[in-house]
Amino acid sequence: MSGYNFKYHPDPLKTGAFKNDKTVKCDCCGKVTDVYYDGPFYSVENVEFLCPECIASGAAAEKFDGSFQDSESVDEVSGHDKLNELTLRTPGYCGWQQEYWLAHCDDYCAFMGYYKWSDLESEGLVEEITETYREDICCVPFEDAVRHIKNNDCYLFKCLNCGKHFVYIDFD
């Protein structure tokens, strides 16, 4: 997978958005690949496998008139190019309900992965996410969010400009 740098999803193999457990044929370009996308793709057509190259280039989104993130479920930033980069050329992540992509410093944040409370503690992020928690998008007070994260995953994001971390949670 080397050679593909996804600004807003820097390690999609680690987060599980890409798999490498078998060889498949990309539905977009037809090439055989041992690294393929295993995340959400919103399209009328049923697309099973996409290679990193077709995502990075935007070919998959163009060919299937699809997107990897709902453009209505994102924070606002200036510049339509950032939204296109996120929705058309960035591997998404799987949420419990509707995925939401956070932004900070007028750019989308990088998705770092799925974290439990113990992960946040071990990486020394608890104080930071306490300060950056956004009740406006998570829809519950921080204390309720903590109870949720202790038993379920949250979605960790990192600002590409200032380096602050943020969490997003969703409930069943």
Side-chain angles (χ1 to χ4, degrees), residues 2-83:
S2 65
Y4 303 104
N5 181 21
F6 296 100
K7 178 180 179 181
Y8 302 124
H9 198 150
D11 199 348
L13 199 53
K14 178 183 170 195
T15 66
F18 285 136
K19 301 286 186 207
N20 63 348
D21 58 351
K22 60 185 174 184
T23 301
V24 301
K25 184 173 147 186
C26 176
D27 291 333
C28 183
C29 67
K31 292 179 185 172
V32 173
T33 180
D34 60 352
V35 177
Y36 62 95
Y37 182 61
D38 191 42
F41 183 65
Y42 305 100
S43 172
V44 173
E45 294 189 48
N46 184 20
V47 178
E48 190 172 1
F49 301 114
L50 293 171
C51 70
E53 182 178 343
C54 287
I55 295 172
S57 69
E62 183 177 343
K63 180 175 183 172
F64 299 111
D65 192 25
S67 67
F68 298 93
Q69 174 66 35
D70 176 11
S71 63
E72 298 298 315
S73 297
V74 299
D75 279 343
E76 286 188 36
V77 299
S78 65
H80 198 67
D81 55 325
K82 296 171 190 173
L83 182 63

